[in-house]
Each structure stands twice: as C-alpha cells, then as structure tokens.
Amino acid sequence: MAAPPDLDFTNIQGDILEGLPKKYQSFVFFTIADANLFRKGLKVIVPWITTTAQAVADLAIINQHKRQHGESLIKLVGTNISFSHDGLTALNITDDLGDPDFTAGQLKAAPALGDPLTPGSTTDPAWEPAFKATIHGCFNITGESRQTINDRISKLEATLKGAIKTVNRVDGAVRRGAEKGHEHFGFQDGVSQPAVTGFRLPNAGEATTEAGVILLGQPGDAQAKTRPAWAKDSSFLAFRKLRQFVPEFNDFVKKNPIPDPGLTHEQGSEILAARMVGRWPSGAPVERDPAADNLIDANNIDKINEFDYVTGDNPATPQLKCPFTAHLRKMNPRAGFPGLPAVQVRRITRQGIPYGPEVTSHEKQTNTTVQDRGLLFTCYQSTLSLGFVFLQESWANNVDFPNKGDGLDPIIGQGPSRSTTGMDPEKPTATLALPKEPFVKPLGGVYMISPSIAALSGAPFSKPPAPTTAAATPGAAQTPLVAPTSAAA
C-alpha cells in the first residue's frame, strides 16, 4: 500500500481537485514577451491565485448564501495559471517533467487523437487558427458574472503590461434554468469525479484514487522520484475546445429509437440517447436505472455512482443494462475489463464548462447546427499518457475496446469507422451506424502544467532557476479536506 499523501491544500491550485466555483469562465491564452518582466509581475499575481483550500471555502460560502438567500449571487472570482512546454522554455525552465506528450504539445498529437484534419493534410488538424499559434500560458478565470471576470483580467493585464501578449480568449457559461449543470446535449455533467485520497472520502460505489494519479510527486505518481522537486503538487492540464452538434444528435436519436414494442417512439429515442451516454439527463446511471430516468438516484450521492458494471449483472447478458461502448463506460469501466487497478491509474478530474448559445428554433427545424456551441473541456492528471491521451486514443476511439468489434464511443469517439454496438439491449451485437460527421468535433487545445503555489512563488517561476534543485514543499494536511460529495457541478 502506498504511503499516505502529504497534501497541502494551500499549495495546490484550486481547479485541480475541487474546481473553481463559477457561473462564467474565461480562458486567456498568452505568450511571454519579456521573461524578466513576467517574473516580476508573477510575484504580484501569486496571492491572487486560488488554492484548493480557498476553492473549498468559496464553495462553502456559496452554499451558505443559497440556504439563507436563495439563488441570489455573491461576488467571487477565481484565478488559476498554467504553462505549456513552450512557456517553460520561454522562462528558461528546462527541467524534464517526464511527460513526452506535454513536451510535444497537443497540436502535434492531434492526428493521433483522431482530430479531423484539414483537407489534403495528414498532420494539420482542422483547428481554429488561434490554437495553432504559439501559446505559453493560460489564465483560467471564474466568477459569478462576466464583469467580475473582466475586472480580474484587466488587473492581470495591467500588472503584466509589456510582459505578455494575449493570443486567444474563450468564454464559457453555466447553462440557465432547468439546464443548469447540463452540457448542451442535455445531460448532467461532472457527477463522477475520482475520490482522491487525502482530499475527500469516497461515496457508495466509488473506489479511492491515489493522489499521485492527479498530482505530480504524490503517492501513486509512478515517476515521482524522477520529477524535479518543484513539480510536486502540480498537475498536467489538458484543455480542449469541443464543438457539439446538438440538432444532429437530437435528430439521430429521434430516427433510431430502441425498437421495443412496449415503448413509444419518443421513449425509444430517450433510451437510445441515455444508453449512448451511459446516464439519463438527470445524471442517473443506466446501469442502475436501465428502463427510465430516476430523479431519486440522481439526487442521492450514494446512489448516483453506486455501480461497478459487474455486481448484479448476468454474465450472459452483460450489456442488458449498459452498453460496453456507452461514453460513461468507455471512459471509466470501473470493475469491468481491464479491472479496477488498471482503471484507477487512468482517472482524471474534469472541470469543463459549456460555451455558446442555446439551440435556435431554426436549428431545431432544420436539424442543422449553425451557431458554435459546445464544451470547454479541461482535465487534470499526473501523466497525460495514462490520463486524457490514453482515454481518447485507446478507449474512446478504439473500436476493439473492451472487446473486438464493439465500436466507437458514440459521443466523443473519433475515427473513420463510424459505428457502435450494444445500444439495443435485446440485440447487443447489432451494429448501429453513426453519422459520418461526429457529434463532437475538437476545434483546438493545448497541454499545460498547473504549478504549485510554492513553485510560482519562487524558483523556478518568480525568479530564475537556482543552480541546484529546490527542496520539495512539505505537506500540511493528513486528513481529507472535504467530506464525501457527489462532485456535481
């Protein structure tokens, strides 16, 4: 058994484990124009960086305010910062972080991730031009209003005047009303986060995830001994701008209902959508609730993740409740193949937010996407090749995972073989042809590292790297920071 983590929640950036509380969020990507000016400005900025301890405290304040004042909002701003490999180089930080995917960058990796390519090219992804430009760093800003975010961005830019140049900004917002907490396909998001040891206790059905799966230098990080000391409590961030084709998705499920004589056409379509995702719109898992949505399960932190794809299943009909290729099951097979130990080292924390407008009446009528909308996807892990990269390439896109010929993840799977299986519970081997164009298309992304507060406060970020390796930051907290939660956004 690995040693307990020495997590210091004042040293870990707040978006990594807890997630920055938000109604709105902006990612400001920049290049470093003057490294010395940047270091001077960073010393001023570090106190503004939201830690995990502060993120948890902010969430508690929000919850207390809701109990006393309902849905009115209080002014809160969150700020995190991350750097690409090019950004580290611009700051003359040349340590080997032990992650080839981070070093190479996401642009180079795009073809292997299955991202659509520009016509006639085998290497150039069909990304937005801004994500093909050099990116050194990113400010991740959250708040209860766009104005609060803009005020923080203005403050950052004034402090770093002459030191950075903004190359791109993307904005997201939590959907409103009944769609609050749901992504654009209409499903509750963020209900299955890893129970990181030392941060929170697991709810029913959850297995613990070693801290080093998410944080560099902690127990469970296979390369902890070879990382530079300053990297401890940092985490690799994978950012993706993912466009969602909502009218096309809705049209597809309407035209391909589960053919059960006991179901109406509409019910058959609803079940197909749920089986493609692995959850109902409320968040209730189809493994627990295969026939219909269940708000009781969805609203119970000890029910929403209480399943493992093995317990209670008939080995002769393993897909009766949930297809092997359901998005949820592809990304986290739990106790199913290849087994819990192999799955738990590939967990990620996800902190994304929707972007873009709601579907218009014209788009609904024509079943054709016109407006740009989707998800600003972010996830954290200690090793990209075990986390995001593996999940996308080896599970979502792999038509032979978990079994030969099972097909793509129908939601995020990328690849020329556009089919999946298991959607009809009575005919699990039947192939369902997916549209030629995926329901989710990557428009760009970047791999970055979110350093610890100690690293940002001194060497190697706020002052030039010392000739010798800096000492590791001592941990402070030995008990979980928060009680068991559903981690729902």
Side-chain angles (χ1 to χ4, degrees):
M1 181 179 293
D6 57 340
L7 300 186
D8 179 353
F9 300 114
T10 66
N11 194 41
I12 302 166
Q13 292 201 50
D15 204 42
I16 298 170
L17 296 177
E18 177 61 42
L20 300 177
K22 61 203 173 191
K23 289 292 184 181
Y24 297 87
Q25 187 168 22
S26 294
F27 297 88
V28 180
F29 299 95
F30 61 85
T31 56
I32 297 171
D34 187 314
N36 288 330
L37 274 181
F38 181 84
R39 288 194 183 95
K40 291 178 181 178
L42 187 59
K43 292 179 181 179
V44 178
I45 289 170
V46 167
W48 307 342
I49 302 299
T50 306
T51 67
T52 296
Q54 186 61 56
V56 171
D58 286 348
L59 186 60
I61 292 170
I62 292 170
N63 289 335
Q64 181 179 7
H65 183 82
K66 285 182 178 179
R67 288 191 295 269
Q68 296 175 344
H69 305 286
E71 292 299 318
S72 65
L73 302 178
I74 56 176
K75 184 174 182 179
L76 278 175
V77 63
T79 305
N80 274 187
I81 189 172
S82 54
F83 300 88
S84 68
H85 180 263
D86 287 341
L88 297 186
T89 301
L91 292 171
N92 195 32
I93 301 172
T94 59
D95 298 295
D96 182 4
L97 294 178
D99 197 306
D101 293 289
F102 170 74
T103 301
Q106 194 178 133
L107 180 62
K108 185 176 180 180
L113 292 171
D115 291 9
L117 303 174
T118 56
S121 174
T122 59
T123 59
D124 182 34
W127 284 7
E128 293 178 346
F131 287 107
K132 297 181 182 182
T134 298
I135 294 173
H136 287 161
C138 175
F139 286 113
N140 172 6
I141 316 295
T142 62
E144 90 297 339
S145 70
R146 190 67 70 198
Q147 186 59 53
T148 293
I149 289 176
N150 289 340
D151 290 345
R152 175 51 57 95
I153 291 174
S154 295
K155 192 174 181 181
L156 289 166
E157 290 177 339
T159 303
L160 294 170
K161 185 177 181 180
I164 66 170
K165 178 181 179 182
T166 298
V167 295
N168 191 18
R169 171 177 170 173
V170 289
D171 302 316
V174 172
R175 297 176 70 199
R176 298 181 178 182
E179 295 302 326
K180 177 183 176 182
H182 294 69
E183 48 73 52
H184 279 293
F185 289 138
F187 292 82
Q188 182 74 24
D189 199 14
V191 297
S192 180
Q193 298 280 32
V196 176
T197 301
F199 177 63
R200 74 171 177 90
L201 300 173
N203 300 308
E206 295 180 332
T208 56
T209 297
E210 289 191 276
V213 173
I214 308 300
L215 297 165
L216 279 68
Q218 289 291 347
D221 175 10
Q223 301 184 71
K225 294 182 179 179
T226 59
R227 312 270 199 194
W230 66 260
K232 184 179 181 181
D233 288 345
S234 304
S235 189
F236 289 114
L237 162 65
F239 174 91
R240 301 271 278 174
K241 183 178 181 182
L242 302 175
R243 189 179 190 189
Q244 294 177 257
F245 290 80
V246 180
E248 290 83 353
F249 174 83
N250 292 336
D251 184 51
F252 178 80
V253 297
K254 287 178 182 178
K255 291 178 177 177
N256 294 276
I258 299 296
D260 188 313
L263 301 174
T264 66
H265 187 102
E266 182 178 9
Q267 289 171 330
S269 295
E270 290 173 350
I271 290 179
L272 173 63
R275 288 177 69 83
M276 290 170 68
V277 174
R279 289 192 187 274
W280 296 91
S282 71
V286 296
E287 179 71 8
R288 283 184 58 90
D289 304 295
D293 205 344
N294 186 336
L295 295 180
I296 295 176
D297 277 3
N299 294 322
N300 187 327
I301 62 173
D302 283 322
K303 297 295 184 184
I304 199 167
N305 285 308
E306 191 182 20
F307 60 96
D308 62 9
Y309 299 122
V310 175
T311 304
D313 276 5
N314 185 334
T317 56
Q319 300 186 84
L320 189 63
K321 298 177 183 178
C322 183
F324 288 138
T325 60
H327 171 60
L328 189 73
R329 193 166 184 172
K330 275 265 197 178
M331 293 296 92
N332 182 8
R334 302 189 180 225
F337 180 83
L340 195 59
V343 170
Q344 286 303 102
V345 297
R346 294 179 168 87
R347 298 305 308 279
I348 56 177
T349 58
R350 298 169 293 111
Q351 314 291 1
I353 193 170
Y355 78 89
E358 296 296 319
V359 175
T360 66
S361 57
H362 174 72
E363 289 175 308
K364 291 179 181 178
Q365 293 170 0
T366 61
N367 298 317
T368 303
T369 295
V370 176
Q371 301 288 334
D372 182 19
R373 68 179 59 80
L375 183 71
L376 303 179
F377 172 85
T378 61
C379 73
Y380 297 90
Q381 56 266 289
S382 65
T383 305
L384 286 161
S385 63
L386 288 177
F388 166 74
V389 173
F390 185 93
L391 297 180
Q392 184 69 53
E393 294 182 9
S394 299
W395 285 354
N397 297 352
N398 186 357
V399 298
D400 294 322
F401 177 79
N403 306 291
K404 186 173 179 60
D406 279 342
L408 288 177
D409 176 326
I411 305 300
I412 68 166
Q414 308 287 325
S417 181
R418 303 290 307 159
S419 66
T420 195
T421 63
M423 295 301 137
D424 186 343
E426 300 299 328
K427 298 179 181 179
T429 60
T431 297
L432 176 64
L434 299 169
K436 181 180 179 181
E437 298 297 325
F439 297 121
V440 174
K441 287 187 178 179
L443 298 184
V446 61
Y447 295 146
M448 314 194 88
I449 189 166
S450 296
S452 70
I453 304 303
L456 293 170
S457 299
F461 287 92
S462 287
K463 61 182 179 180
T468 57
T469 304
T473 303
Q478 296 294 330
T479 56
L481 180 63
V482 295
T485 68
S486 66

